[in-house]
């Protein structure tokens, strides 16, 4: 039985309903009304709900934009149940012919982050399940898109995760001068079928190995607890800001937790405050240990 995970987005009118597996193969669909959704029986059914404005289908999720006649908190559970019931009864999400023939437009929009040097470009489709950071063009073997982005002289770093790309710039340009150019490039690149990330290369890269925490079972209990706390409580928050946090190590004698900040979080002026007053206090409280200290290796 399929179970849907409800996930909020930065846009309060849009809610994502995530599936455990991908439901489209490198295709994205956007339907504005029931007539446009003739090749998606699920989208057609959703449009019978009076508050549904737009339906997006991409990667491993369905995103729905609502009209203002309702609040998501009042209807989201019912919508998730309706989607689950439709799928579990064998309903078709998108017909095979449509998947093969339709080249669907995507949407890309920029979001500010707490880091003035970084901007988060949100894409209306899933890009990857594995967060990957690129510090320079020599590291971009796994991402042709990142390689192309480094062709812009003002691009300093690129971070890709889930459905967004965080770009960190040099000070030579203001965002007002370059945002439209970057947004248009990313949109056209993806719409033209360009490869965003080759997962096989990314997961085999030695730099990314540590991020997977493959030795989790061999770590001490406290380290495992710290990783679980970071994964469940901290990562979703920093991802919303276009960044990521990775566990590096825990020193039992010094009670010191070392982490690595990525994306918009790396170099952010408020990152030190977040570490000390947010993450450190959370770990102290949840681990019942006031001696816990947190530091970022790249802050």
């Amino acid at each position: 039985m399929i179970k849907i995970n409800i996930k909020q987005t930065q846009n309060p009118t849009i809610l994502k309903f995530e599936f455990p597996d991908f439901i489209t193969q490198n295709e994205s669909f956007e339907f504005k009304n029931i007539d446009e959704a003739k090749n998606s029986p699920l989208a057609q059914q959703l449009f019978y709900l009076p508050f549904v404005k737009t339906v997006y289908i991409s990667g491993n999720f369905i995103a729905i934009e609502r009209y203002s006649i309702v609040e998501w908190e009042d209807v989201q559970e019912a919508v998730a149940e309706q989607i689950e019931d439709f799928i579990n009864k064998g309903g078709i999400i998108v017909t095979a012919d449509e998947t093969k023939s339709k080249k669907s437009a995507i949407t890309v929009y920029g979001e500010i982050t707490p880091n003035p040097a970084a901007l988060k470009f949100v894409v209306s489709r899933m890009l990857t399940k594995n967060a990957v950071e690129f510090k320079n063009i020599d590291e971009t073997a796994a991402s042709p898109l990142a390689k192309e982005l480094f062709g812009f002289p003002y691009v300093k770093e690129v971070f890709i995760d889930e459905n967004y790309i965080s770009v960190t710039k040099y000070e030579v340009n203001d965002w007002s001068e370059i945002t439209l150019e970057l947004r248009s490039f990313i949109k056209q690149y993806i719409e033209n079928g360009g490869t965003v990330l080759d997962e096989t290369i990314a997961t085999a890269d030695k730099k990314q190995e540590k991020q997977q925490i493959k030795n989790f079972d061999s770590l001490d209990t406290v380290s495992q607890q710290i990783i679980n706390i970071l994964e469940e409580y901290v990562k979703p928050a920093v991802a919303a800001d276009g960044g990521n946090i990775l566990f590096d190590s825990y020193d039992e004698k010094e009670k010191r937790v070392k982490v690595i900040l990525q994306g918009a979080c790396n170099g952010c002026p408020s990152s030190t405050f977040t570490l000390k007053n947010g993450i450190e206090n959370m770990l102290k409280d949840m681990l019942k240990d006031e001696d816990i200290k947190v530091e970022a290796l790249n802050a």
Side-chain angles (χ1 to χ4, degrees), residues 162-175:
E162 294 191 339
N163 67 323
Y164 68 87
I165 301 158
S166 286
V167 176
T168 302
K169 69 174 181 65
Y170 288 104
E171 295 181 359
V172 65
N173 290 97
D174 293 329
W175 281 118

Side-chain angles (χ1 to χ4, degrees), residues 215-231:
N215 61 332
F216 180 87
D217 291 337
S218 64
L219 294 174
D220 61 274
T221 302
V222 177
S223 291
Q224 292 180 344
Q225 290 175 323
I226 292 170
I227 291 170
N228 288 333
I229 293 171
L230 293 178
E231 291 287 331

Side-chain angles (χ1 to χ4, degrees), residues 1-9 14-24 42 56-64 76 79-81 83-84 87 93 123 125-129 161-164 236 239:
M1 300 289 284
I2 296 292
K3 183 66 178 175
I4 299 296
N5 180 39
I6 301 172
K7 190 172 183 180
Q8 294 182 339
T9 71
I14 298 177
L15 201 65
K16 288 171 67 175
F17 298 86
E18 292 190 343
F19 290 72
D21 297 302
F22 282 81
I23 56 176
T24 66
L42 174 55
Y56 307 91
I57 301 177
S58 179
N60 72 329
F61 68 87
I62 293 172
I64 300 175
Q76 62 186 36
V79 174
E81 289 179 7
I83 295 174
E84 288 173 351
I87 300 301
I93 299 175
V123 183
R125 55 161 281 191
M126 179 66 72
L127 301 176
T128 177
K129 289 186 176 182
D161 191 14
E162 294 191 339
N163 67 323
Y164 68 87

Side-chain angles (χ1 to χ4, degrees), residues 75-93:
V75 298
Q76 62 186 36
E77 296 294 340
V79 174
E81 289 179 7
Q82 181 171 324
I83 295 174
E84 288 173 351
D85 185 61
F86 180 89
I87 300 301
N88 289 325
K89 287 182 178 179
I92 296 173
I93 299 175

Side-chain angles (χ1 to χ4, degrees), residues 4 20 22 40 48 55 104 144 148-149 151 159 162 179-180 182 187 192 211 232 241 246 253 285-286 294:
I4 299 296
F22 282 81
S40 174
Y48 282 106
V55 177
S104 185
E148 293 291 333
L149 288 172
F159 176 75
E162 294 191 339
T179 298
L180 181 58
L182 281 175
K187 175 179 169 64
N192 290 333
Q211 300 181 17
E232 184 173 356
D241 289 333
L246 301 174
K253 292 182 179 179
D285 180 62
M286 299 186 78
V294 179

Side-chain angles (χ1 to χ4, degrees), residues 52-240:
V52 171
K53 181 179 181 181
T54 308
V55 177
Y56 307 91
I57 301 177
S58 179
N60 72 329
F61 68 87
I62 293 172
I64 300 175
E65 181 180 10
R66 64 168 172 79
Y67 286 107
S68 57
I69 58 173
V70 298
E71 295 295 331
W72 272 123
E73 61 184 19
D74 297 326
V75 298
Q76 62 186 36
E77 296 294 340
V79 174
E81 289 179 7
Q82 181 171 324
I83 295 174
E84 288 173 351
D85 185 61
F86 180 89
I87 300 301
N88 289 325
K89 287 182 178 179
I92 296 173
I93 299 175
V94 179
T95 60
D97 288 341
E98 177 73 358
T99 302
K100 292 178 181 178
S101 63
K102 182 177 177 63
K103 178 185 176 182
S104 185
I106 65 164
T107 57
V108 179
Y109 63 89
E111 283 187 358
I112 60 173
T113 74
N115 185 350
L119 197 67
K120 177 182 177 182
F121 293 91
V122 182
V123 183
S124 61
R125 55 161 281 191
M126 179 66 72
L127 301 176
T128 177
K129 289 186 176 182
N130 299 300
V132 186
E133 183 179 48
F134 305 101
K135 295 286 191 180
N136 55 63
I137 196 169
D138 291 336
E139 298 179 353
T140 59
S143 176
L145 172 58
K147 183 177 182 179
E148 293 291 333
L149 288 172
F150 277 111
F152 294 95
Y154 45 75
V155 171
K156 183 180 181 181
E157 296 177 13
V158 177
F159 176 75
I160 304 174
D161 191 14
E162 294 191 339
N163 67 323
Y164 68 87
I165 301 158
S166 286
V167 176
T168 302
K169 69 174 181 65
Y170 288 104
E171 295 181 359
V172 65
N173 290 97
D174 293 329
W175 281 118
S176 60
E177 301 170 327
I178 61 178
T179 298
L180 181 58
E181 181 179 32
L182 281 175
R183 187 184 72 80
S184 298
F185 174 80
I186 293 171
K187 175 179 169 64
Q188 291 178 7
Y189 181 92
I190 297 175
E191 283 184 341
N192 290 333
T195 300
V196 175
L197 185 69
D198 186 329
E199 302 278 359
T200 59
I201 298 177
T203 53
D205 190 285
K206 289 185 178 180
K207 184 185 175 188
Q208 307 302 328
E209 278 187 6
K210 192 173 185 64
Q211 300 181 17
Q212 310 306 317
I213 317 180
K214 295 178 180 177
N215 61 332
F216 180 87
D217 291 337
S218 64
L219 294 174
D220 61 274
T221 302
V222 177
S223 291
Q224 292 180 344
Q225 290 175 323
I226 292 170
I227 291 170
N228 288 333
I229 293 171
L230 293 178
E231 291 287 331
E232 184 173 356
Y233 298 100
V234 181
K235 279 197 174 187
V238 297

